[in-house]
Amino acid sequence: MTEPKGNTPLMAPSSLKLPDYKTSVKLKYVKLGYHYLMTHGMFLFLSPLVIIIAAQLSTFSLHDLYNIWDNLQYNLISVVICSSLLVFVSSIYFLTRPRPVYLVDFSCYKPDEARRCTMKTFMNQSQLTGAFTEENLAFQRKILERSGLGDHTYLPEAVLNMPPNPSMKEARKEAEAVMFGAIDELLAKTSVKPKDIGVLVVNCSLFNPTPSLSAMVINHYKLRGNIDSYNLGGMGCSAGLLSIDLAKKLLQVHPNSYALVVSMENITLNWYFGNDRAKLVSNCLFRMGGAAVLLSNKFSERRRSKYQLVHTVRTHKGADDKCFACVTQEEDFNGKIGVTLSKELMAVAGDALKTNITTLGPLVLPTSEQLLFFATLVGRKLLKMKIKPYIPDFKLAFEHFCIHAGGRAVLDEIEKNLHLSDWHMEPSRMTLYRFGNTSSSSLWYELAYTEAKGRVKRGDRVWQIAFGSGFKCNSAVWKALRTVKPAKEKNPWMAEIDRFPVDVPKVAAI
């Protein structure tokens, strides 16, 4: 037992004076109080008025009501005109308002265990191909160790074979396994017949065969002849949300329809076997995966649907040359094709994100956050005050965040800029660790993780945000229509969800 120091007071300072409320009161609760006050301000303002009107109506007698009716009889023409106008305006509103779009369900493809690629397997395969110099093998090892990927990601058979045998046949084989695997599970979960699907949107950035991927789906499932079919290519990792936006617009003009959206990337023909380091990063990050999503505008589907689509916001920075060229598919000095990732990528992504959330903010942020942002803007721009720009708290607008698992650096920057917690970033980080960057389908693996954890409750709002070549940043906002119960779910996380989250080291030595 140690002796107390001579300068240690016998009584705690707190017992000698009043507490310092500036430090004892947690300011976050003050901010929450302000947020709720502003959010429900209109209700609080109107409540006294409603009470006064109700009190006045309670004094009416039957004689008073008879007098009102008697007066209306002498103004029958006015009553008829006003009633007709009310009916006309109401009809116009209901006929022209956008049809609600529901997400009935979705599924994510989980490859066979034979497609598993550990980090050690990746390095061994890269070395055995003989395509890479020792310096670039060391470079790939360094990138992989810091990538945030784990030992359970997947690559297609043609890449894992020794020697690798990429071909059009193998690429079609991978595409069929991913697309049909995801769609089969989706149709089984929803019990929707293929002939009932009226809209089909398939997106895959780098693999665009003839006949198209959408035609492969139509042929395999014998979809109807008048289906609206679209095949999106070359649009990068954000194409999944582009497809959702396109399907939403098509459902506005096709009543009582189902829309099937399939998002994937094809690795087989796009594995880089050269020594340009700007193209080798893609090998270290991209992995096999895909997702299928069933949307509907049928009101009868609302009861069993998981989510309703609230907003889609698309940002395209392609008019800027630096943004346009930051992700490019091209040949290297030996004529081998790969995808070049520019050093400007992070700066470009940050600029696109800023533009996107500036557009999205007014649609989703509570009044409290918009007022604080506006007040700060006025102070900085008009009053020339030296204050930091206010970053809105998007945690007040969304309960769940699905941020494209493009790489650890991207996730780190978004976490820092949006002031998100580890809990909010967990679905994205665990998806990157477990499945790697599956391009446009990664957002659905993240939402599946959130569901498997039992986090989605009725009324919760989900923000999906993705980046893509061009350069694009796209957002989708969903509202949960019901509580998702993990016990009734079938998704690629269910058999192992209890293992997550796991600690992902900054450097995972191979």
Side-chain angles (χ1 to χ4, degrees), residues 49-221:
L49 183 62
V50 172
I51 293 173
I52 293 172
I53 294 174
Q56 184 65 32
L57 290 175
S58 65
T59 63
F60 276 33
S61 64
L62 291 176
H63 181 70
D64 294 329
L65 295 175
Y66 176 78
N67 288 336
I68 293 175
W69 173 251
D70 193 47
N71 290 329
L72 288 175
Q73 287 182 322
Y74 293 105
N75 295 278
L76 186 60
I77 296 177
S78 299
V79 172
V80 171
I81 292 175
C82 290
S83 300
S84 301
L85 182 61
L86 181 62
V87 172
F88 176 75
V89 172
S90 300
S91 300
I92 292 295
Y93 170 75
F94 285 107
L95 289 174
T96 58
R97 68 172 182 169
R99 290 185 175 92
V101 175
Y102 306 114
L103 191 160
V104 182
D105 213 330
F106 68 97
S107 63
C108 300
Y109 175 67
K110 187 175 184 179
D112 297 332
E113 192 63 19
R115 305 281 79 78
R116 179 183 167 190
C117 177
T118 66
M119 292 194 287
K120 185 176 180 180
T121 300
F122 177 94
M123 291 308 305
N124 288 341
Q125 294 289 107
S126 297
Q127 186 172 17
L128 291 173
T129 60
F132 309 108
T133 64
E134 288 297 325
E135 292 79 8
N136 280 334
L137 284 172
F139 172 75
Q140 290 184 78
R141 177 187 293 271
K142 182 179 179 180
I143 294 295
L144 197 61
E145 289 177 336
R146 293 161 175 77
S147 65
L149 274 68
D151 276 333
H152 289 80
T153 60
Y154 303 97
L155 284 174
E157 184 178 358
V159 175
L160 291 176
N161 285 340
M162 190 49 61
N165 59 325
S167 64
M168 182 62 75
K169 180 181 178 180
E170 288 296 322
R172 285 184 178 274
K173 183 178 177 181
E174 180 193 350
E176 290 172 354
V178 173
M179 292 193 303
F180 301 162
I183 296 173
D184 285 346
E185 182 179 305
L186 180 63
L187 295 179
K189 290 166 71 173
T190 59
S191 300
V192 171
K193 298 177 181 178
K195 291 289 185 182
D196 293 334
I197 297 172
V199 174
L200 172 65
V201 183
V202 179
N203 68 267
C204 182
S205 188
L206 297 178
F207 181 56
N208 295 284
T210 300
S212 66
L213 296 174
S214 59
M216 290 167 61
V217 174
I218 292 172
N219 176 261
H220 182 79
Y221 292 97

Side-chain angles (χ1 to χ4, degrees), residues 20 55 84 94 103 112 115 122 155 161 163 184 223 226 245 261 264 281 308 330 381 393 400 457-458 475 488:
D20 185 352
S84 301
F94 285 107
L103 191 160
D112 297 332
R115 305 281 79 78
F122 177 94
L155 284 174
N161 285 340
D184 285 346
L223 303 183
N226 64 343
D245 183 63
V261 175
M264 62 165 290
V281 177
Q308 180 174 341
E330 59 188 2
K381 298 297 184 181
D393 188 356
H400 309 288
K457 310 298 181 185
R458 182 179 179 182
S475 290
K488 297 182 178 180

